[in-house]
Amino acid sequence: MEFYLSNRFIAISVIVGLFFLSCKDEKKETDVPVVKKVEYQMYQPSEMAGFMNAMYAYNMQLKQQIVAGEAPVSMSLDLMTLHSAEMTKGKGRTVAWNSFVNVFIESQEAITDTRSNFELKERYNAAINNCLSCHKTECVGPIPKIKKLLIL
Ligand code: HEC
């Protein structure tokens, strides 16, 4: 127990030490919590980034339902937001984006289409693979995260 506690103490000391190291460029008199607050205010995710995160959360929920043997019947997202949302500065609707977006929207809607002849898991994975197709050219960063949505 004592050993465990002292290990934890060392770990916390190292983390705290690293924190102060990373702040060594800041002026000494500056109040650290105030500096952090300013940093948070500077991060403004775009409307599109916000919608992408909502799509991620929605599909994670679908995955859990499908794995549990339930068939999702309602689509809670307004996918037309993909056509209207403002994107991060420097990003835009490229030729590649335009070639992927409608294919994706159709596949996302097909998941809750109860008349479909295709297996639910197949339809779900097809939609997630369409997220990935677009991301391969338009925004590679979140690919490992999106892959976690696939039902293996
Ligand atoms: C037609 C192309 C396209 C499709 C389809 C697409 N994305 Fe994206 N995604 C993008 C682009 C471009 C961005 C960057 C948006 C920005 O920064 O304004 C992005 C950003 C993201 C982000 C990062 C958001 C952030 O916080 O910066 C996540 C997570 C994400 N997408 C998940 C998904 C998921 C999950 C799907 C499918 C359900 C999906 N995307 C479908 C193009 C696409």
Side-chain angles (χ1 to χ4, degrees), residues 65-90:
Q65 277 184 291
I66 294 168
V67 168
E70 293 166 32
V73 289
S74 73
M75 237 295 294
S76 62
L77 299 167
D78 179 6
L79 294 175
M80 290 306 119
T81 305
L82 289 168
H83 293 307
S84 64
E86 248 181 76
M87 295 165 87
T88 302
K89 233 182 172 175

Side-chain angles (χ1 to χ4, degrees), residues 4-118:
Y4 167 71
L5 276 178
S6 72
N7 257 351
R8 214 163 61 153
F9 178 71
I10 291 167
I12 291 168
S13 307
V14 169
I15 291 165
V16 169
L18 284 174
F19 178 75
F20 282 111
L21 269 182
S22 71
C23 291
K24 70 179 179 200
D25 290 332
E26 306 290 348
K27 281 195 209 100
K28 284 242 157 55
E29 319 84 81
T30 313
D31 192 9
V32 171
V34 171
V35 171
K36 278 183 84 175
K37 203 168 151 200
V38 171
E39 277 169 10
Y40 285 130
Q41 283 169 350
M42 277 163 59
Y43 177 66
Q44 290 284 357
S46 69
E47 189 188 352
M48 185 67 86
F51 186 68
M52 289 284 168
N53 285 319
M55 289 205 296
Y56 182 87
Y58 169 73
N59 280 292
M60 186 53 91
Q61 221 181 332
L62 286 190
K63 176 180 177 175
Q64 282 157 3
Q65 277 184 291
I66 294 168
V67 168
E70 293 166 32
V73 289
S74 73
M75 237 295 294
S76 62
L77 299 167
D78 179 6
L79 294 175
M80 290 306 119
T81 305
L82 289 168
H83 293 307
S84 64
E86 248 181 76
M87 295 165 87
T88 302
K89 233 182 172 175
K91 295 212 189 290
R93 289 173 178 80
T94 61
V95 174
W97 164 283
N98 287 325
S99 72
F100 290 124
V101 68
N102 289 319
V103 179
F104 164 72
I105 289 173
E106 269 182 45
S107 65
Q108 179 79 73
E109 284 172 343
I111 300 173
T112 47
D113 179 1
T114 50
R115 295 158 306 165
S116 172
N117 295 321
F118 293 99

